Amino acid sequence: MELSKEKLLWMYERMQLIRTFENRVKVEFGKGKIPGFVHLYAGEEAIAVGICANLTDADYMTSTHRGHGHCVAKGVEPRGMMAELFGKATGTCKGKGGSMHIADMDKGMLGANGIVGGGPPLACGSGLTAKLNKTNQVTICFFGDGASEQGTLHESLNLASIWKLPIIFVAENNGYAESTPAHYHCSVENIADRASAYNMPGVTLDGNDIFAVYEASHEAVARARTGQGPTLLECKTYRFNGHFEGDAQTYKIAAENEKYQKERDPIKLFRDNVLARHLVSEAEFKAIDDRVAAQIDEGVKFAEESPFPDVKETYTDVYVNY
Amino acid sequence: MAERQLNFGQALNEAMRQEMRRDPKVILLGEDVAGGADVDHLHGDEAWGGVLGVTKGLVKEFGRDRIIDTPISESGFIGAAVGAAVTGMRPIAEMMFVGFMGVCFDQLLNQGAKLRYMFGGKAKVPLVIRTICGGGYRAAAQHSQVLYSLFTHIPGLKTVVPATPYDAKGLLISSIRDDDLVIFFEDITLGAMKGPVPEEPYTIPLGKADIKRPGSDVTIVAIGKMVHHALKAADELQKQGKSAEVIDPRTLSPFDEEAVLESVKKTGRLVVVDESHPRCSMAADIAATVADKGFDYLNGPIKTVTAPHTPVPFSPPLEDHYLPNPQKITAAVLSLF
């Protein structure tokens, strides 16, 4: 499938924005600026971006604890996200959600989710809304290989299939559920093989190849928009970091991260591909890199300089009178 | 003209029917809410209309797009109801028995209850989950619980426990129009109870208790079907020269503290009747609230009448022993004099 130059540049910029965001989160977390837990998406950028290249703001998305990349790909503003991670009043959720709960209803982003397998039932809900209102909005339901072992996913795949909901279930199989390898926790080699049990198409693909992701999701989105029901896509990928920041990753073999970063970096693969085809120049990439770096610098500055929420905010956005 | 009488289930049915007519965003989903989905010879008509028939006739008027039978997938359809609510619908989900909440607890505890707060107020969850609760039906431990204390503990959920058909209709309409997730408890033994119910739609505000019987010597706060036991006890107490005021909080979250404190101020005595297990129950909570905020009004200790800290037993003599009843309430009240 031939992509316009505009789309190629958009893909590169979004992937680079995620990578730069995550690398900076790693640094700021290390400095103690970011409270709590963070789960980094670096290495998996081609999936979120390849899929979101088919969407509009009106489309919905449910996400996971590793949700920063999904948010950026869906168009959530990185500066608000960074402020949210810092726990500041200017954050996407006013500092009340944090890394695992970033949501932006204006972008159809129905929240990162601290519960593994928490999102698929919610995706059935947004899918049901779109179906009942006949809006042709689709819902992307991201989940990891760990969540593929949750009962909620079984229920949701079945519901989506019998109700023909406009959902694309996207398994991001990065090889590990926390520290437990997929070859141990998963009864099948390919999660998408389970699709046949739900009478829906299942496709396993290289999640580090943004072109493969884009093409497969393009077809799945078209199916969903035309009332043909859900698809299960499995994107094989690899996370460059631990399950959470601070994870010593003793379950990985020696130099595993380095090998993947050298050979399977989705951004590098994209660059090499596009440069070889002379579709984008080094100078154009450089201009994007500079713009993204400046944007993240500005976002961190914004987050640092923003105030913490007033303690009165504890009592808003929920019913309480005692 | 005599007031129109409806039973509890008919009152609930009418509330849903009127709200679905008023607002096309209101949908109903759950197991067998119509029943017989995709069965050719039913031609779209229902098989059941809910396990107790509460939703009978709704599919005929609103069709299967809005009255949606679900598989037996509680996490799936409760989560779907939450997801539909945050994206603009106003679903009513029917969780057949409250014990089944155990199957889908995450979707309530960590999703539905928390999205609005975690998202900094950018989402709302206008969802009502209707569920059957209560003992006395010989249905044993998994189908006889009340559990409203458990859900009242969780911020982001509202809990409603009506005791009469009139309250059931008005509170359900309010719950459907509320922008928060409301869990609406329907006591299984009250289903056939009749009472006056106006035909036109009306609302009863969440958080407003009702004095079911005025009195001057003792306040009895009773929840759900316990209200009727308390009223029977009050009749007996009257014969013994004691005037009991029976207060029905109607909703546990929000809870009308003021109504209870005002009553205790007048009577000086408090008995709380709750079908929950005693620890961390509404009874314990109401007693603690009055001890904290109304201590000076009290002429004696606060008494609670609850179920014991055991699962609900099956055998009729055991279940009868387990449940609070008018005699237990009367004895608790008389111990204060």
Side-chain angles (χ1 to χ4, degrees), chain B residues 4 14-15 17-19 21-22 169-170 173 177 197-204:
Chain B
R4 189 183 64 140
E14 187 166 88
R17 190 183 293 276
Q18 290 174 339
E19 285 305 287
R21 284 178 187 161
R22 185 185 63 80
K169 179 174 171 182
I173 290 178
R177 296 181 188 179
V197 178
E199 193 160 347
E200 72 278 5
Y202 58 93
T203 58
I204 294 171

Side-chain angles (χ1 to χ4, degrees), chain A residues 150-189:
Chain A
Q150 281 279 25
T152 48
L153 185 68
H154 163 67
E155 295 188 19
S156 302
L157 288 166
N158 185 63
L159 271 185
S161 178
I162 66 168
W163 289 347
K164 276 202 176 334
L165 298 178
I167 302 174
I168 297 87
F169 292 93
V170 181
E172 296 179 308
N173 185 349
N174 63 24
Y176 297 100
E178 303 188 354
S179 73
T180 302
H183 61 72
Y184 170 82
H185 74 66
C186 192
S187 62
V188 286
E189 190 183 344

Side-chain angles (χ1 to χ4, degrees), chain A residues 9 47 70 95 102 129 143 147 173 193 209 225 231 240 263 300:
Chain A
L9 293 174
I47 307 170
H70 304 149
I102 296 175
T129 296
F143 61 96
N173 185 349
D193 290 350
D209 176 354
R225 286 206 205 284
T231 300
F240 286 177
E263 297 171 11
V300 171

Side-chain angles (χ1 to χ4, degrees), chain B residues 281-305:
Chain B
S281 63
M282 276 314 296
D285 182 276
I286 294 166
T289 301
V290 173
D292 180 18
K293 298 182 179 171
F295 188 77
D296 293 343
Y297 308 149
L298 290 164
N299 296 327
I302 300 166
K303 292 290 176 186
T304 63
V305 181

Side-chain angles (χ1 to χ4, degrees), chain A residues 209-245:
Chain A
D209 176 354
I210 194 168
F211 301 107
V213 174
Y214 178 80
E215 283 190 29
S217 56
H218 189 82
E219 192 180 330
V221 167
R223 266 177 55 78
R225 286 206 205 284
T226 51
Q228 297 176 75
T231 300
L232 172 58
L233 298 182
E234 176 187 15
C235 302
K236 303 270 195 193
T237 186
Y238 186 81
R239 65 168 141 79
F240 286 177
N241 295 286
H243 167 59
F244 53 83
E245 273 308 281

